[in-house]
């Protein structure tokens, strides 16, 4: 069929699910049946087109979201295959930000698994219309109706069954199409490319008729014209049903449900038909809004080529060492060689090339219009979440939100040549992944790499070696404590020495007093008689502050202490800045050791999202870690526990939480304050 043109024939779809539900396998079949690939790539063989990175092929998991475009019945389906592992959840988040629809893939055995809940919530956040494909119907223990019930309970969705399975487990052979009341059966000898359509078999007919009646009832509730036809028992045509389902899907009222077995090549062609028929085109979804950065006025990005350019950068990738920027065009068009304005950075950039992506392969194009998802080469400074527009028509689209890292490791280069490359390599990874943070700990001298989980950081270390030939030693970072005092103490020190032929004299009487938590360090003078000339007070202060930079217990910085200068002594012509500085420093250290010093832990503010069934175990674990629960709220069907916990007790928490909640718990952590453990 000749390809139709126009934005109404574009479908921007994400494949989302829990790890190992079969997202990539579904995508590989889509590529094969649409003619985009001439061979089915299998994940377990490390040959999947969409899992092109070496780490993905070795581990059999998706790490980075991959973009491709394939034709089906005259439409262009632009697909983003997303990761299922929670450590790479930002890949799902930023993909959903620019998509018009999502297909949630569920395992018929596992049902709605933990990460499925997370990605579903992310899709809800961006108001993305969804449909469901219940995969692995051929597996032992497959339960189609059980999975549908789990969708209602865990996702608070309203499933609309469009198909029923024919057979289960090893007898699964096809589906009943409830819209057309046809039975579709796949052959086992041609990789599922052909199938037979016929009347519904007698043993399934009664069940199929009952579920078709439910389908009509549910749709009638969402469409007045259909309700009228249904109540008056008029015949409802296929075209009416398709229009009603499309409308209910686009408005997020209903979730169409299909089923199949991607690995056994069954159920993919009807899924493609459903994507074309029921998922919205870029003009069917509400136009995205932005603001004029100069006036603050709200602007609409209508999906027309003759409108000013508005595009969002949703991903940056370093392919073969070169920066590739992924862009979704909402309005206007991108053209090779044009200058564009980055509103987020307030600077112009030049587009050198526009690329249509097929995983890691690319095809050059001259222009990209509304609804397009393309790769762009030439943007030097632009990053994830930035807006591109026409220089004369500035617009700023809503920035993307990124998760805070929850786990850190310390790294150091193995060789001198690695040292030279390390900073440059880390800068590339940070540009590519907004959830990755790098900092130098001034107290320990370590380079601290922070990310979303142990696997996330493990992949980064692996890629450093594979892609950039940079080797590092990896270790746990040290917790940097603070020191303070429990009591008031004073000390008097006299410094009286000849140094390099000059006599130095300084006498200081000092008192240290504890302050309330968070007050910092203060120096005050309470001398009344002028025992120390005013000119030497800054030297005394410098000596005190220098000494408080390294405590008497373990050498950590001191905080929440007031140093009070009470008096001292002075000898004419012998008093020097050096003498007062040294005597003040020694007096401070002596007073510190007398004032019952103790350590302060860095305390982290932790927010944990967990299903109610696991609350007891999670709270018990927090108590064991000396955590303090501050609040427990309910949010979209999950419990939100807010607590403060010492950082030293939080290492390995990511793994512990997943174990305690069957992987369904997630958490964020950020520094709160220092306090006694």
């Amino acid at each position: 069929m000749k390809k139709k043109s126009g934005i109404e024939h574009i479908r921007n779809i994400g494949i989302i699910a829990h790890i190992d539900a079969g997202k990539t396998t579904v995508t590989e079949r889509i590529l094969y049946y649409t003619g985009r690939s001439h061979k089915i790539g299998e994940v377990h063989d490390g040959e999947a087109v969409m899992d092109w990175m070496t780490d993905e092929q070795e581990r059999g998991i998706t790490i980075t979201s991959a973009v491709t475009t394939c034709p089906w019945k005259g439409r262009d389906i632009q697909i983003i295959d997303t990761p299922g592992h929670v450590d790479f959840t930002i890949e799902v988040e930023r993909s959903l930000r620019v998509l018009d629809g999502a297909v949630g893939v569920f395992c018929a055995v596992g049902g709605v698994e933990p990460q499925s809940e997370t990605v579903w919530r992310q899709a809800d956040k961006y108001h993305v219309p969804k449909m469901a494909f219940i995969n692995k119907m051929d597996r032992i223990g497959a339960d189609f109706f059980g999975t549908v019930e789990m969708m209602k309970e865990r996702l608070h969705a309203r499933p609309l069954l469009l198909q029923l399975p024919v057979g289960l487990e090893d007898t699964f052979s096809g589906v009943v199409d409830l819209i057309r009341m046809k039975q579709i059966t796949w052959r086992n000898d041609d990789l599922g490319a052909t199938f037979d359509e016929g009347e519904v078999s007698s043993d399934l007919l009664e069940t199929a008729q009952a579920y078709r009646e439910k389908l009509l009832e549910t749709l009638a509730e969402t469409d007045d014209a259909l309700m009228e036809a249904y109540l008056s028992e008029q015949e409802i045509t296929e075209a009416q049903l398709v229009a009603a389902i499309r409308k209910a899907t686009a408005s997020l009222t209903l979730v169409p449900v299909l089923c199949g077995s991607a690995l056994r090549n069954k159920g993919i062609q009807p899924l493609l038909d459903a994507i074309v028929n029921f998922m919205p085109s870029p003009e069917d979804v509400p136009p995205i809004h932005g603001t004029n950065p100069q006036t603050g006025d709200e602007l609409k990005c209508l999906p027309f080529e003759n409108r000013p350019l508005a595009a969002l950068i949703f991903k940056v990738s370093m392919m073969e060492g070169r920066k590739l920027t992924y862009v979704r065009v909402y309005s206007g068009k991108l053209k090779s060689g044009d200058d564009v304005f980055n509103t987020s950075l307030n600077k112009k950039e030049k587009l050198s090339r526009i690329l249509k992506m097929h995983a890691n392969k690319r095809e050059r194009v001259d222009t990209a219009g509304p609804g397009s998802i393309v790769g762009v080469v030439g943007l030097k400074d632009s990053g994830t979440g930035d807006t591109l527009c026409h220089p004369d028509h500035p617009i700023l689209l809503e920035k993307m939100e990124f998760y805070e890292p929850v786990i850190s490791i310390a790294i150091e280069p193995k060789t001198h040549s690695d040292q030279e490359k390390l900073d440059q390599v880390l800068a590339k990874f940070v540009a590519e992944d907004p959830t990755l943070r790098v900092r130098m700990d001034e107290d320990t001298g370590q380079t601290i790499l922070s990310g979303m989980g142990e696997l996330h950081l493990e992949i980064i270390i692996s890629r450093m070696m594979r892609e950039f030939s940079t080797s590092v030693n990896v270790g746990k970072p040290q917790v940097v404590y603070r020191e303070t005092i429990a009591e008031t103490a004073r000390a008097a020190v006299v410094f009286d020495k000849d140094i390099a032929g000059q006599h130095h004299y300084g006498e200081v009487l000092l008192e240290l007093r504890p302050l309330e938590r968070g007050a910092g360090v203060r120096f005050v003078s309470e001398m009344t008689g002028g025992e120390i000339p005013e000119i030497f007070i800054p030297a005394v202060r410098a000596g005190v502050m220098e000494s408080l930079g390294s405590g008497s217990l373990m050498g950590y910085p001191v905080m929440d202490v007031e140093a009070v200068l009470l008096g001292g002594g002075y000898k004419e012509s012998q008093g020097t800045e050096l003498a007062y500085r040294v005597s003040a420093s020694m007096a401070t250290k002596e007073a510190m050791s007398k004032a019952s010093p103790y350590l302060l832990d860095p305390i982290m503010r932790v927010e944990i999202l967990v299903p109610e069934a696991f609350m007891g175990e999670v709270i018990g674990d927090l108590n064991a870690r000396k955590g303090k629960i501050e609040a427990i709220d309910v949010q979209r069907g999950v419990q939100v526990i807010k607590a403060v916990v010492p950082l030293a007790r939080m290492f390995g928490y990511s793994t512990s939480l997943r174990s305690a909640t069957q992987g369904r718990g997630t958490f964020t952590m950020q520094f709160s304050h220092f306090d006694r453990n």
Side-chain angles (χ1 to χ4, degrees):
M1 184 185 285
K2 190 181 175 206
K3 190 179 108 174
K4 297 176 184 176
S5 60
I7 192 171
E8 69 273 16
H9 302 299
I10 294 174
R11 301 290 183 271
N12 289 322
I13 304 301
I15 310 290
I16 60 173
H18 185 86
I19 190 169
D20 204 32
K23 293 179 308 304
T24 303
T25 305
V26 168
T27 310
E28 293 298 321
R29 269 55 182 180
I30 287 174
L31 296 180
Y32 179 71
Y33 299 132
T34 57
R36 198 70 177 82
S37 297
H38 302 293
K39 173 178 177 285
I40 292 179
E42 299 291 8
V43 175
H44 53 265
D45 294 333
E47 294 180 356
V49 173
M50 303 300 273
D51 285 351
W52 55 271
M53 285 172 60
T54 309
D55 280 297
E56 292 179 315
Q57 292 167 352
E58 284 184 359
R59 296 166 191 266
I61 61 170
T62 303
I63 291 167
T64 183
S65 53
V67 181
T68 191
T69 305
C70 50
W72 185 253
K73 296 189 175 176
R75 270 74 169 184
D76 267 341
I77 303 176
Q78 297 185 126
I79 297 175
I80 301 183
D81 178 32
T82 64
H85 197 286
V86 66
D87 283 12
F88 310 107
T89 191
I90 186 61
E91 290 286 330
V92 186
E93 179 97 8
R94 59 186 176 184
S95 298
L96 287 170
R97 172 71 169 79
V98 299
L99 290 169
D100 304 319
V103 177
V105 179
F106 300 98
C107 171
V109 181
V112 178
E113 295 168 286
Q115 188 63 5
S116 302
E117 294 180 53
T118 305
V119 297
W120 201 268
R121 283 199 297 268
Q122 287 172 309
D124 283 340
K125 174 181 170 183
Y126 292 114
H127 308 290
V128 177
K130 297 170 288 294
M131 57 193 296
F133 180 74
I134 299 177
N135 191 27
K136 304 190 181 184
M137 290 301 302
D138 60 308
R139 289 266 302 273
I140 294 171
D143 185 352
F144 175 75
F145 296 106
T147 304
V148 171
E149 285 305 310
M150 289 177 79
M151 286 178 63
K152 294 177 188 174
E153 292 166 18
R154 294 192 177 175
L155 307 177
H156 307 290
R158 271 191 86 189
L160 181 71
L161 272 58
L162 304 185
Q163 295 177 347
L164 295 179
V166 177
L168 272 182
E169 301 177 350
D170 57 353
T171 64
F172 176 72
S173 60
V175 297
V176 173
D177 181 344
L178 295 175
I179 296 174
R180 298 181 301 137
M181 285 301 281
K182 295 285 185 184
Q183 186 163 319
I184 305 170
T185 308
W186 275 267
R187 302 169 191 170
N188 294 318
D189 55 354
D190 62 352
L191 295 176
T194 57
F195 49 86
D196 299 315
E197 274 192 11
E199 297 304 313
V200 180
S201 58
S202 56
D203 58 323
L204 285 171
L205 188 58
E206 191 178 334
T207 306
Q209 286 172 337
Y211 275 96
R212 179 179 164 84
E213 197 64 24
K214 282 187 183 177
L215 168 72
L216 295 174
E217 278 178 26
T218 308
L219 275 177
E221 291 173 19
T222 68
D223 188 288
D224 291 341
L226 210 62
M227 175 67 84
E228 196 175 315
Y230 178 70
L231 292 175
S232 59
E233 298 185 359
Q234 295 174 20
E235 186 184 342
I236 297 172
T237 65
E238 182 185 333
Q240 284 176 295
L241 283 178
V242 168
I245 296 168
R246 183 181 177 85
K247 181 181 163 190
T249 305
S251 64
L252 278 69
T253 309
L254 299 173
V255 178
V257 179
L258 299 93
C259 63
S261 170
L263 190 63
R264 302 287 172 243
N265 312 311
K266 295 178 173 73
I268 302 301
Q269 294 94 333
L271 174 63
L272 282 163
D273 289 340
I275 289 171
V276 164
N277 290 333
F278 309 132
M279 288 278 101
S281 73
E283 69 176 3
D284 294 329
V285 293
I288 195 165
H289 289 71
T291 53
N292 184 320
Q294 293 161 0
T295 65
D297 295 340
E298 189 174 277
L299 302 170
K300 265 187 190 178
C301 301
L302 298 174
F304 305 121
E305 280 197 7
N306 59 0
R307 301 281 294 190
L309 173 68
L312 183 74
I313 296 172
F314 68 96
K315 179 178 163 75
V316 172
S317 180
M318 296 294 171
M319 281 196 182
E320 298 159 9
R322 296 193 67 185
K323 183 176 178 180
L324 178 67
T325 308
Y326 288 83
V327 175
R328 160 74 195 256
V329 183
Y330 287 102
S331 183
K333 67 178 178 179
L334 292 172
K335 193 174 179 184
S336 288
D338 275 4
D339 286 333
V340 291
F341 185 67
N342 184 322
T343 326
S344 310
L345 300 179
N346 198 30
K347 67 180 293 186
K348 280 188 180 180
E349 293 258 48
K350 193 171 189 71
L351 300 175
S352 58
R353 278 183 290 161
I354 300 173
L355 306 168
K356 205 170 182 179
M357 300 303 299
H358 178 50
N360 62 329
K361 298 179 177 64
R362 56 203 94 165
E363 172 194 334
R364 287 185 72 162
V365 293
D366 293 327
T367 60
S372 299
I373 295 175
V374 291
V376 170
V377 177
L379 303 178
K380 291 181 181 175
D381 301 312
S382 297
T384 304
D386 288 356
T387 303
L388 301 179
C389 61
H390 191 280
D392 298 334
H393 301 278
I395 185 172
L396 184 63
L397 301 178
E398 186 184 348
K399 290 285 282 183
M400 296 170 73
E401 293 177 6
F402 304 123
Y403 299 99
E404 288 299 314
V406 296
I407 192 168
S408 303
I409 54 172
I411 58 172
E412 58 183 31
K414 283 189 175 178
T415 66
H416 182 67
S417 63
D418 292 328
Q419 172 72 63
E420 293 173 348
K421 289 187 285 185
L422 185 60
D423 290 345
Q424 192 178 358
V425 171
L426 288 174
K428 286 183 177 180
F429 281 127
V430 170
E432 186 176 288
D433 186 347
T435 60
L436 194 69
R437 305 286 163 80
V438 177
R439 66 179 174 86
M440 178 65 75
D441 192 311
E442 294 176 7
D443 296 298
T444 63
Q446 293 174 307
T447 298
I448 307 296
L449 191 62
S450 304
M452 296 303 295
E454 287 147 300
L455 179 63
H456 184 200
L457 297 176
E458 193 182 311
I459 296 292
I460 294 295
I461 300 300
S462 171
R463 288 183 61 198
M464 272 187 198
M465 186 64 223
R466 287 182 195 277
E467 297 174 29
F468 300 99
S469 303
T470 305
S471 300
V472 292
N473 294 318
V474 180
K476 280 187 179 179
Q478 291 182 337
V479 175
V480 182
Y481 297 93
R482 292 290 185 267
E483 295 185 23
T484 192
I485 57 174
E487 301 170 6
T488 299
R490 64 174 60 182
V493 170
V494 176
F495 184 84
D496 189 3
K497 282 189 178 178
D498 286 318
I499 300 174
Q502 183 183 353
H503 196 78
H504 296 268
Y505 181 88
E507 181 182 346
V508 170
L509 173 62
L510 198 73
E511 184 172 89
L512 296 184
R513 300 168 185 168
L515 294 175
E516 68 276 7
R517 205 56 66 237
V521 175
R522 294 205 292 257
F523 172 82
V524 294
S525 172
E526 290 184 2
M527 285 192 308
T528 53
E531 297 94 331
I532 299 174
E534 198 68 34
I535 192 173
F536 294 121
I537 301 297
V540 173
R541 178 191 171 86
V544 169
M545 291 303 179
E546 184 183 314
S547 188
L548 290 177
S550 176
S552 59
L553 277 179
M554 296 175 69
Y556 291 112
V558 178
M559 63 182 289
D560 301 339
V561 168
E562 183 176 60
V564 183
L565 178 61
L566 297 176
Y570 170 71
K571 287 186 179 177
E572 191 71 43
S573 76
Q574 294 183 10
T576 63
E577 285 190 5
L578 173 66
Y580 282 105
R581 183 168 182 155
V582 172
S583 58
S585 177
M586 292 169 66
T588 304
K589 287 194 181 297
E590 189 179 321
M592 268 289 292
S593 60
K594 293 178 183 176
S596 303
Y598 62 90
L599 288 179
L600 292 173
D601 278 70
I603 305 297
M604 310 304 286
R605 188 168 299 285
V606 183
E607 191 170 289
I608 307 159
L609 273 68
V610 61
E612 191 170 357
F614 304 103
M615 282 275 289
E617 199 165 341
V618 171
I619 289 172
D621 183 49
L622 283 173
N623 289 334
R625 294 173 186 270
K626 295 194 173 180
K628 292 176 185 169
I629 311 292
E630 293 189 328
I632 299 175
D633 301 322
V634 180
Q635 178 185 310
R636 296 190 68 85
V638 292
Q639 301 288 323
V640 181
I641 304 171
K642 296 177 180 176
V644 287
V645 192
L647 174 61
R649 304 272 180 163
M650 289 300 288
F651 289 117
Y653 185 65
S654 181
T655 306
S656 299
L657 180 64
R658 285 176 202 161
S659 300
T661 63
Q662 297 175 11
R664 292 171 64 190
T666 59
F667 79 106
T668 56
M669 180 170 77
Q670 60 187 25
F671 174 76
S672 173
H673 62 283
F674 284 95
D675 208 344
R676 195 166 195 167
N677 191 343

